Amino acid sequence: MRTAIHDGLLRPGDRLPATRELARRLAVARNTVAVAYERLTAEGYTDGRVGAGTFVSTTGLPARETATGTDATAPGLRPRALWTKLSPWAGPEAAGPSTTAHDFRAGLPDARLFPYDAWRPLVSRELRLSASGAVGYGDPAGHAGLRSALARHIGISRAVRTEPDDVLVTTGTQQALDLVGRVLLEPGDRVAVEDPGYPPARLAFLAQGAEVTRVPVDAEGLRVDALPPDTRAVYVTPAHQFPLGMAMSLRRRTALLHWARRHGAAVIEDDYDSEFRFGGRPVETLHSLDGGRHVIYVGTFSKVMLPSLRLGFLVAPAPLRRALRTAKYATDWHTAVPTQAALARFIDDGLLARHIRRMRNT
């Protein structure tokens, strides 16, 4: 139904079938249909009226666009010229082990709940001489098995449609932001970040010589109307705003994507901990709403597994991929291959999904 609304097959104001009738047609439980309707309403696609039924929302829906419309003629994303005279920069966070009874630092998972007994054999297996990739250098874009596993994982968990070749494995979110800055930004380009927002992201762009502008957020997320018109990239945490915690509304997400298309700007979507919520499912990603044209999707395993593993990834529009791969090669060649291979097996064997379920319940 979400796809039908996006495609214009279901128009604003159209009445959806009654849950009982649709359940009978599809031969599923009525509760299954009710849950789907609740998700559509929660995400802003529909409105429920007591005694009248459920209707497609008349406000806040993404405008229907075609491949031959404004998107095809809008300025595209282009990698910047090779950078020169950039000094190395590093700003590690102080995140050592805590000796206090209760650790209130944000964004750190409980290390005591990590499945060490399941993880340890996978790493040991990849450190044997006979293991594939145990010796020699690896692909800058990442271990082939991990990229395939990641494409499947985010496709299932976050509806991000991507192929393994589109995925670039990084040493955490911070490196992903650094690579994007190296490839996309010229010194002096403007980058908009949320205020309040994630400080290390702001530092990463400042290190690239960018002009960083703080844009206020409200109950619906980043205020799109406050974006400077000359902004080259916008960094946002739409699924779970850091540090305030709210999700960006559908109306605001739609407005942000339209703004990016009009201005030829990139949207950097940091989906850092969407696996963990108190209830319901995460909101739809900007990447899936945009189709991957102007959105660079960034993910990490620091929140769902362990920060010390330093594993992350990004999915970028096609014009940026070759430059990002080159930037990764120039930065550190590749992320540790044995750890990547172990994570690929961890995902493929269902251990990550099991761990997420346990952590979510906890």
Side-chain angles (χ1 to χ4, degrees):
M1 285 187 169
R2 184 194 290 128
T3 302
I5 293 173
H6 279 293
D7 292 344
L9 301 178
L10 288 175
R11 298 166 298 178
D14 281 357
R15 188 174 188 270
L16 301 188
T19 56
R20 188 186 305 277
E21 173 62 18
L22 187 56
R24 184 189 64 78
R25 292 186 200 171
L26 301 179
V28 298
R30 185 182 181 188
N31 187 56
T32 299
V33 178
V35 170
Y37 276 28
E38 289 171 4
R39 282 180 52 189
L40 289 169
T41 300
E43 294 179 7
Y45 287 94
T46 60
D47 296 312
R49 304 174 194 169
V50 177
T54 303
F55 299 81
V56 178
S57 179
T58 57
T59 60
L61 292 176
R64 185 183 181 190
E65 296 181 359
T66 64
T68 58
T70 57
D71 288 350
T73 58
L77 302 181
R78 298 184 302 276
R80 67 170 186 158
L82 290 177
W83 60 94
T84 58
K85 300 181 181 179
L86 283 179
S87 301
W89 179 85
E93 295 180 70
S98 173
T99 57
T100 60
H102 303 286
D103 189 349
F104 289 101
R105 288 176 296 177
L108 292 178
D110 190 342
R112 296 170 300 180
L113 302 179
F114 184 75
Y116 295 98
D117 291 341
W119 176 255
R120 192 179 301 110
L122 298 178
V123 176
S124 298
R125 176 177 178 175
E126 297 302 329
L127 288 175
R128 296 172 184 166
L129 184 59
S130 59
S132 175
V135 296
Y137 294 107
D139 186 340
H143 184 275
L146 178 57
R147 293 163 69 194
S148 296
L150 287 173
R152 291 192 300 272
H153 173 67
I154 61 178
I156 294 172
S157 65
R158 300 297 283 122
V160 174
R161 297 180 181 179
T162 187
E163 298 295 330
D165 288 344
D166 303 333
V167 179
L168 180 79
V169 179
T170 65
T171 307
T173 295
Q174 201 65 18
Q175 187 185 49
L177 300 179
D178 179 69
L179 294 176
V180 171
R182 290 173 182 267
V183 164
L184 192 65
L185 303 174
E186 296 282 2
D189 280 352
R190 187 177 304 280
V191 177
V193 299
E194 297 166 318
D195 185 25
Y198 185 53
R202 187 168 65 250
L203 292 176
F205 299 126
L206 288 172
Q208 301 293 340
E211 292 290 332
V212 177
T213 298
R214 302 186 187 191
V215 178
V217 299
D218 58 22
E220 292 189 73
L222 182 89
R223 283 188 50 193
V224 178
D225 60 347
L227 286 170
D230 62 342
T231 300
R232 176 69 170 139
V234 184
Y235 169 83
V236 288
T237 53
H240 187 199
Q241 202 278 336
F242 186 93
L244 300 182
M246 69 285 193
M248 184 181 287
S249 70
L250 176 64
R251 182 171 70 95
R252 195 64 60 80
R253 284 179 281 149
T254 301
L256 176 58
L257 292 176
H258 286 174
W259 185 94
R261 291 166 189 164
R262 289 196 307 271
H263 292 81
V267 176
I268 304 169
E269 178 179 16
D270 186 350
D271 203 31
Y272 66 99
D273 73 343
S274 60
E275 295 90 348
F276 296 145
R277 296 179 70 84
F278 285 111
R281 283 181 57 87
V283 296
E284 193 170 9
T285 63
L286 291 171
H287 186 279
S288 59
L289 286 173
D290 174 65
R293 293 183 293 271
H294 284 258
V295 174
I296 301 171
Y297 181 84
V298 176
T300 180
F301 290 92
S302 294
K303 312 306 180 188
V304 70
M305 294 178 68
L306 290 175
S308 59
L309 293 179
R310 305 309 305 140
L311 281 171
F313 61 94
L314 62 83
V315 179
L320 300 182
R321 291 170 195 157
R322 184 173 181 180
L324 284 166
R325 179 190 176 102
T326 304
K328 171 67 175 176
Y329 176 84
T331 304
D332 67 351
W333 200 321
H334 61 80
T335 302
V337 175
T339 307
Q340 292 186 68
L343 180 57
R345 289 190 176 275
F346 193 73
I347 297 173
D348 287 340
D349 291 349
L351 298 174
L352 177 63
R354 184 186 309 169
H355 174 60
I356 290 175
R357 287 194 299 269
R358 183 186 305 164
M359 292 288 284
R360 185 182 293 132
N361 290 335
T362 300

